[in-house]
Amino acid sequence: MAAPPLDRAAQIFFALDRDFLDVFSIAAKDPKIVGLPAYLFKPFSRRVLRSATHWVLLLRRAFWQHAGQLFASGNRANV
């Protein structure tokens, strides 16, 4: 199966934003998914984790944008 075109890949990637905070806050507490760090998050409510994962969502978006810059750059050493 081939990867979707870049514009479609971006649509898919950013469409996941609406579910990302809930899914991430649930997955962060599951040791089968994240291992030992899950035990650090167990005491926190889902609401608190959802708020904290907002920053992870922002980093996720920044990584996508930076990957786009790397992809488009002819001289990746300066990006």
Side-chain angles (χ1 to χ4, degrees):
M1 180 174 180
L6 191 56
D7 59 337
R8 179 65 184 132
Q11 288 175 339
I12 294 167
F13 182 86
F14 289 107
L16 295 174
D17 278 2
R18 67 178 166 255
D19 298 318
F20 182 81
L21 297 175
D22 287 329
V23 171
F24 192 88
S25 63
I26 293 167
K29 291 179 150 190
D30 189 338
K32 289 180 261 175
I33 297 172
V34 297
L36 291 177
Y39 297 106
L40 299 172
F41 298 123
K42 285 271 187 200
F44 297 102
S45 72
R46 187 170 164 204
R47 184 176 177 188
V48 169
L49 281 177
R50 193 175 187 280
S51 176
T53 57
H54 176 75
W55 295 106
V56 176
L57 177 60
L58 293 176
L59 286 171
R60 179 180 176 270
R61 292 175 185 165
F63 292 149
W64 178 272
Q65 292 169 341
H66 185 67
Q69 289 175 340
L70 288 172
F71 180 76
S73 175
N75 183 3
R76 294 187 176 139
N78 295 325
V79 177

